Amino acid sequence: MAHGAFQASYSQTVLPTTSQSALSWIGSVQAFFIFFVGIFSSKAVGSSHFHHVTGAGLIVQLLGLVMTSISTKYYQFFLSEGVCVGIGSGLLFAPGIAIVASYFSTKRPLAIAVATSGAAIGV
């Protein structure tokens, strides 16, 4: 989650009259949804629905990013980046880690650590 870069851009250009506290709510809600939705999406992956979960995650996250690019008001950024991107990321992050754990029997902690640290590059 690189919300700090987004927050700096929002406060300087797009939403200069909005407080830093209000802008930080966007990233906080996004982080909440990543882990909250991850609880349910990892259970769905365990029930052999990996393709459905990741497909839905890709669509929701892409929709959120596109809507963020055309947003002009605070509530639009909150809904598109905070809620939509957060839910999409939650549908993608936890299943990605869960699937790595199912493929490795030896050195599983190392594989999960590499997958988790590499996820920060794409988020």
Side-chain angles (χ1 to χ4, degrees), residues 96-117:
I97 302 305
I99 203 78
V100 169
S102 68
Y103 277 99
F104 287 89
S105 57
T106 60
K107 299 191 179 186
R108 184 176 293 161
L110 178 62
I112 293 173
V114 169
T116 305
S117 63

PDB file of all heavy atoms in Angstrom, residues 96-117:
ATOM      1  N   GLY A  96      -3.433 -14.966  -2.891  1.00  0.00           N
ATOM      2  CA  GLY A  96      -2.080 -15.114  -3.430  1.00  0.00           C
ATOM      3  C   GLY A  96      -1.121 -15.718  -2.421  1.00  0.00           C
ATOM      4  O   GLY A  96      -0.258 -16.530  -2.767  1.00  0.00           O
ATOM      5  N   ILE A  97      -1.286 -15.344  -1.165  1.00  0.00           N
ATOM      6  CA  ILE A  97      -0.447 -15.914  -0.113  1.00  0.00           C
ATOM      7  C   ILE A  97      -0.892 -17.336   0.209  1.00  0.00           C
ATOM      8  O   ILE A  97      -0.072 -18.236   0.428  1.00  0.00           O
ATOM      9  CB  ILE A  97      -0.492 -15.027   1.152  1.00  0.00           C
ATOM     10  CG1 ILE A  97      -0.037 -13.605   0.818  1.00  0.00           C
ATOM     11  CG2 ILE A  97       0.353 -15.610   2.269  1.00  0.00           C
ATOM     12  CD1 ILE A  97       1.312 -13.508   0.169  1.00  0.00           C
ATOM     13  N   ALA A  98      -2.205 -17.571   0.219  1.00  0.00           N
ATOM     14  CA  ALA A  98      -2.731 -18.896   0.536  1.00  0.00           C
ATOM     15  C   ALA A  98      -2.326 -19.926  -0.510  1.00  0.00           C
ATOM     16  O   ALA A  98      -2.025 -21.074  -0.178  1.00  0.00           O
ATOM     17  CB  ALA A  98      -4.248 -18.841   0.664  1.00  0.00           C
ATOM     18  N   ILE A  99      -2.309 -19.522  -1.770  1.00  0.00           N
ATOM     19  CA  ILE A  99      -1.956 -20.471  -2.820  1.00  0.00           C
ATOM     20  C   ILE A  99      -0.474 -20.843  -2.748  1.00  0.00           C
ATOM     21  O   ILE A  99      -0.097 -21.971  -3.039  1.00  0.00           O
ATOM     22  CB  ILE A  99      -2.364 -19.941  -4.211  1.00  0.00           C
ATOM     23  CG1 ILE A  99      -2.524 -21.074  -5.208  1.00  0.00           C
ATOM     24  CG2 ILE A  99      -1.384 -18.947  -4.743  1.00  0.00           C
ATOM     25  CD1 ILE A  99      -3.771 -21.825  -5.079  1.00  0.00           C
ATOM     26  N   VAL A 100       0.358 -19.904  -2.336  1.00  0.00           N
ATOM     27  CA  VAL A 100       1.787 -20.208  -2.161  1.00  0.00           C
ATOM     28  C   VAL A 100       1.963 -21.244  -1.054  1.00  0.00           C
ATOM     29  O   VAL A 100       2.743 -22.183  -1.196  1.00  0.00           O
ATOM     30  CB  VAL A 100       2.579 -18.921  -1.842  1.00  0.00           C
ATOM     31  CG1 VAL A 100       3.989 -19.235  -1.388  1.00  0.00           C
ATOM     32  CG2 VAL A 100       2.617 -18.015  -3.059  1.00  0.00           C
ATOM     33  N   ALA A 101       1.219 -21.096   0.020  1.00  0.00           N
ATOM     34  CA  ALA A 101       1.329 -22.033   1.138  1.00  0.00           C
ATOM     35  C   ALA A 101       0.898 -23.441   0.750  1.00  0.00           C
ATOM     36  O   ALA A 101       1.418 -24.421   1.282  1.00  0.00           O
ATOM     37  CB  ALA A 101       0.484 -21.541   2.309  1.00  0.00           C
ATOM     38  N   SER A 102      -0.027 -23.553  -0.196  1.00  0.00           N
ATOM     39  CA  SER A 102      -0.487 -24.888  -0.576  1.00  0.00           C
ATOM     40  C   SER A 102       0.488 -25.604  -1.509  1.00  0.00           C
ATOM     41  O   SER A 102       0.440 -26.824  -1.627  1.00  0.00           O
ATOM     42  CB  SER A 102      -1.865 -24.803  -1.232  1.00  0.00           C
ATOM     43  OG  SER A 102      -1.770 -24.159  -2.479  1.00  0.00           O
ATOM     44  N   TYR A 103       1.373 -24.885  -2.166  1.00  0.00           N
ATOM     45  CA  TYR A 103       2.297 -25.502  -3.108  1.00  0.00           C
ATOM     46  C   TYR A 103       3.640 -25.898  -2.492  1.00  0.00           C
ATOM     47  O   TYR A 103       4.380 -26.659  -3.085  1.00  0.00           O
ATOM     48  CB  TYR A 103       2.554 -24.578  -4.303  1.00  0.00           C
ATOM     49  CG  TYR A 103       1.486 -24.681  -5.348  1.00  0.00           C
ATOM     50  CD1 TYR A 103       0.475 -23.747  -5.420  1.00  0.00           C
ATOM     51  CD2 TYR A 103       1.480 -25.730  -6.259  1.00  0.00           C
ATOM     52  CE1 TYR A 103      -0.521 -23.836  -6.367  1.00  0.00           C
ATOM     53  CE2 TYR A 103       0.497 -25.828  -7.213  1.00  0.00           C
ATOM     54  CZ  TYR A 103      -0.504 -24.891  -7.266  1.00  0.00           C
ATOM     55  OH  TYR A 103      -1.489 -24.988  -8.207  1.00  0.00           O
ATOM     56  N   PHE A 104       3.968 -25.369  -1.320  1.00  0.00           N
ATOM     57  CA  PHE A 104       5.252 -25.661  -0.714  1.00  0.00           C
ATOM     58  C   PHE A 104       5.053 -26.484   0.548  1.00  0.00           C
ATOM     59  O   PHE A 104       4.309 -26.089   1.438  1.00  0.00           O
ATOM     60  CB  PHE A 104       5.997 -24.364  -0.359  1.00  0.00           C
ATOM     61  CG  PHE A 104       6.535 -23.636  -1.551  1.00  0.00           C
ATOM     62  CD1 PHE A 104       5.753 -22.697  -2.226  1.00  0.00           C
ATOM     63  CD2 PHE A 104       7.814 -23.889  -2.008  1.00  0.00           C
ATOM     64  CE1 PHE A 104       6.242 -22.043  -3.322  1.00  0.00           C
ATOM     65  CE2 PHE A 104       8.314 -23.222  -3.105  1.00  0.00           C
ATOM     66  CZ  PHE A 104       7.521 -22.298  -3.772  1.00  0.00           C
ATOM     67  N   SER A 105       5.737 -27.624   0.622  1.00  0.00           N
ATOM     68  CA  SER A 105       5.681 -28.424   1.847  1.00  0.00           C
ATOM     69  C   SER A 105       6.955 -28.233   2.667  1.00  0.00           C
ATOM     70  O   SER A 105       6.904 -28.201   3.885  1.00  0.00           O
ATOM     71  CB  SER A 105       5.472 -29.901   1.520  1.00  0.00           C
ATOM     72  OG  SER A 105       6.503 -30.354   0.664  1.00  0.00           O
ATOM     73  N   THR A 106       8.083 -28.099   1.976  1.00  0.00           N
ATOM     74  CA  THR A 106       9.322 -27.791   2.670  1.00  0.00           C
ATOM     75  C   THR A 106       9.641 -26.327   2.427  1.00  0.00           C
ATOM     76  O   THR A 106       9.323 -25.768   1.371  1.00  0.00           O
ATOM     77  CB  THR A 106      10.492 -28.663   2.147  1.00  0.00           C
ATOM     78  OG1 THR A 106      10.659 -28.410   0.758  1.00  0.00           O
ATOM     79  CG2 THR A 106      10.208 -30.137   2.368  1.00  0.00           C
ATOM     80  N   LYS A 107      10.214 -25.679   3.406  1.00  0.00           N
ATOM     81  CA  LYS A 107      10.564 -24.254   3.344  1.00  0.00           C
ATOM     82  C   LYS A 107       9.338 -23.376   3.077  1.00  0.00           C
ATOM     83  O   LYS A 107       9.410 -22.352   2.398  1.00  0.00           O
ATOM     84  CB  LYS A 107      11.652 -24.004   2.306  1.00  0.00           C
ATOM     85  CG  LYS A 107      12.943 -24.741   2.634  1.00  0.00           C
ATOM     86  CD  LYS A 107      14.066 -24.278   1.780  1.00  0.00           C
ATOM     87  CE  LYS A 107      15.315 -25.041   2.183  1.00  0.00           C
ATOM     88  NZ  LYS A 107      16.494 -24.584   1.526  1.00  0.00           N
ATOM     89  N   ARG A 108       8.183 -23.777   3.616  1.00  0.00           N
ATOM     90  CA  ARG A 108       6.947 -23.009   3.458  1.00  0.00           C
ATOM     91  C   ARG A 108       7.051 -21.605   4.054  1.00  0.00           C
ATOM     92  O   ARG A 108       6.615 -20.647   3.415  1.00  0.00           O
ATOM     93  CB  ARG A 108       5.779 -23.769   4.076  1.00  0.00           C
ATOM     94  CG  ARG A 108       4.450 -23.064   3.868  1.00  0.00           C
ATOM     95  CD  ARG A 108       3.307 -23.880   4.413  1.00  0.00           C
ATOM     96  NE  ARG A 108       3.164 -25.085   3.601  1.00  0.00           N
ATOM     97  CZ  ARG A 108       2.523 -26.156   3.994  1.00  0.00           C
ATOM     98  NH1 ARG A 108       1.956 -26.203   5.172  1.00  0.00           N
ATOM     99  NH2 ARG A 108       2.420 -27.199   3.204  1.00  0.00           N
ATOM    100  N   PRO A 109       7.634 -21.442   5.252  1.00  0.00           N
ATOM    101  CA  PRO A 109       7.745 -20.076   5.791  1.00  0.00           C
ATOM    102  C   PRO A 109       8.556 -19.145   4.894  1.00  0.00           C
ATOM    103  O   PRO A 109       8.222 -17.978   4.740  1.00  0.00           O
ATOM    104  CB  PRO A 109       8.422 -20.268   7.145  1.00  0.00           C
ATOM    105  CG  PRO A 109       8.107 -21.674   7.533  1.00  0.00           C
ATOM    106  CD  PRO A 109       8.071 -22.435   6.247  1.00  0.00           C
ATOM    107  N   LEU A 110       9.625 -19.659   4.310  1.00  0.00           N
ATOM    108  CA  LEU A 110      10.430 -18.847   3.404  1.00  0.00           C
ATOM    109  C   LEU A 110       9.634 -18.451   2.160  1.00  0.00           C
ATOM    110  O   LEU A 110       9.676 -17.302   1.723  1.00  0.00           O
ATOM    111  CB  LEU A 110      11.699 -19.598   2.999  1.00  0.00           C
ATOM    112  CG  LEU A 110      12.622 -18.878   2.017  1.00  0.00           C
ATOM    113  CD1 LEU A 110      13.143 -17.584   2.636  1.00  0.00           C
ATOM    114  CD2 LEU A 110      13.758 -19.783   1.597  1.00  0.00           C
ATOM    115  N   ALA A 111       8.879 -19.391   1.611  1.00  0.00           N
ATOM    116  CA  ALA A 111       8.074 -19.104   0.422  1.00  0.00           C
ATOM    117  C   ALA A 111       7.011 -18.053   0.725  1.00  0.00           C
ATOM    118  O   ALA A 111       6.785 -17.132  -0.075  1.00  0.00           O
ATOM    119  CB  ALA A 111       7.420 -20.381  -0.093  1.00  0.00           C
ATOM    120  N   ILE A 112       6.370 -18.160   1.875  1.00  0.00           N
ATOM    121  CA  ILE A 112       5.350 -17.179   2.248  1.00  0.00           C
ATOM    122  C   ILE A 112       5.992 -15.816   2.493  1.00  0.00           C
ATOM    123  O   ILE A 112       5.439 -14.779   2.117  1.00  0.00           O
ATOM    124  CB  ILE A 112       4.559 -17.662   3.473  1.00  0.00           C
ATOM    125  CG1 ILE A 112       3.726 -18.889   3.096  1.00  0.00           C
ATOM    126  CG2 ILE A 112       3.666 -16.564   4.028  1.00  0.00           C
ATOM    127  CD1 ILE A 112       3.044 -19.559   4.260  1.00  0.00           C
ATOM    128  N   ALA A 113       7.155 -15.791   3.104  1.00  0.00           N
ATOM    129  CA  ALA A 113       7.856 -14.531   3.361  1.00  0.00           C
ATOM    130  C   ALA A 113       8.232 -13.835   2.060  1.00  0.00           C
ATOM    131  O   ALA A 113       8.078 -12.614   1.917  1.00  0.00           O
ATOM    132  CB  ALA A 113       9.097 -14.770   4.206  1.00  0.00           C
ATOM    133  N   VAL A 114       8.709 -14.599   1.096  1.00  0.00           N
ATOM    134  CA  VAL A 114       9.073 -14.018  -0.204  1.00  0.00           C
ATOM    135  C   VAL A 114       7.832 -13.493  -0.914  1.00  0.00           C
ATOM    136  O   VAL A 114       7.830 -12.394  -1.478  1.00  0.00           O
ATOM    137  CB  VAL A 114       9.824 -15.063  -1.078  1.00  0.00           C
ATOM    138  CG1 VAL A 114       9.970 -14.577  -2.504  1.00  0.00           C
ATOM    139  CG2 VAL A 114      11.177 -15.365  -0.469  1.00  0.00           C
ATOM    140  N   ALA A 115       6.751 -14.258  -0.895  1.00  0.00           N
ATOM    141  CA  ALA A 115       5.500 -13.831  -1.545  1.00  0.00           C
ATOM    142  C   ALA A 115       4.929 -12.586  -0.887  1.00  0.00           C
ATOM    143  O   ALA A 115       4.465 -11.670  -1.555  1.00  0.00           O
ATOM    144  CB  ALA A 115       4.476 -14.958  -1.526  1.00  0.00           C
ATOM    145  N   THR A 116       4.975 -12.539   0.437  1.00  0.00           N
ATOM    146  CA  THR A 116       4.436 -11.389   1.163  1.00  0.00           C
ATOM    147  C   THR A 116       5.280 -10.139   0.925  1.00  0.00           C
ATOM    148  O   THR A 116       4.746  -9.053   0.706  1.00  0.00           O
ATOM    149  CB  THR A 116       4.369 -11.693   2.674  1.00  0.00           C
ATOM    150  OG1 THR A 116       3.617 -12.887   2.857  1.00  0.00           O
ATOM    151  CG2 THR A 116       3.718 -10.569   3.425  1.00  0.00           C
ATOM    152  N   SER A 117       6.587 -10.278   0.949  1.00  0.00           N
ATOM    153  CA  SER A 117       7.435  -9.089   0.743  1.00  0.00           C
ATOM    154  C   SER A 117       7.384  -8.625  -0.704  1.00  0.00           C
ATOM    155  O   SER A 117       7.484  -7.431  -0.977  1.00  0.00           O
ATOM    156  CB  SER A 117       8.873  -9.385   1.163  1.00  0.00           C
ATOM    157  OG  SER A 117       9.405 -10.413   0.332  1.00  0.00           O
TER     158      SER A 117
END
